[in-house]
Amino acid sequence: MEHYAADKRWFDFGISTEQAGAVFNDGLCAQKEGFGARSVAYNFYQWEIK
């Protein structure tokens, strides 16, 4: 971590979901939190452009 994120205020461990975000992976999230990470929920929106 020190090599990749030494000059950054945060590091993104990536998603903790499966099946295109439909299923939350509790075990993966727990592993990431074991490293000191915290979860953040994002809202995604899609607009149809005609």
Side-chain angles (χ1 to χ4, degrees):
M1 291 296 297
E2 291 175 10
H3 176 74
Y4 295 104
D7 61 338
K8 307 293 184 219
R9 293 184 60 196
W10 54 271
F11 183 83
D12 187 346
F13 280 95
I15 63 172
S16 295
T17 59
E18 302 173 24
Q19 298 178 18
V23 177
F24 183 73
N25 186 323
D26 291 313
L28 180 56
C29 185
Q31 180 190 25
K32 293 175 183 183
E33 288 181 348
F35 292 112
R38 296 293 172 258
S39 297
V40 176
Y42 291 98
N43 293 319
F44 289 89
Y45 302 94
Q46 182 174 335
W47 286 275
E48 182 178 339
I49 301 172
K50 295 181 180 186

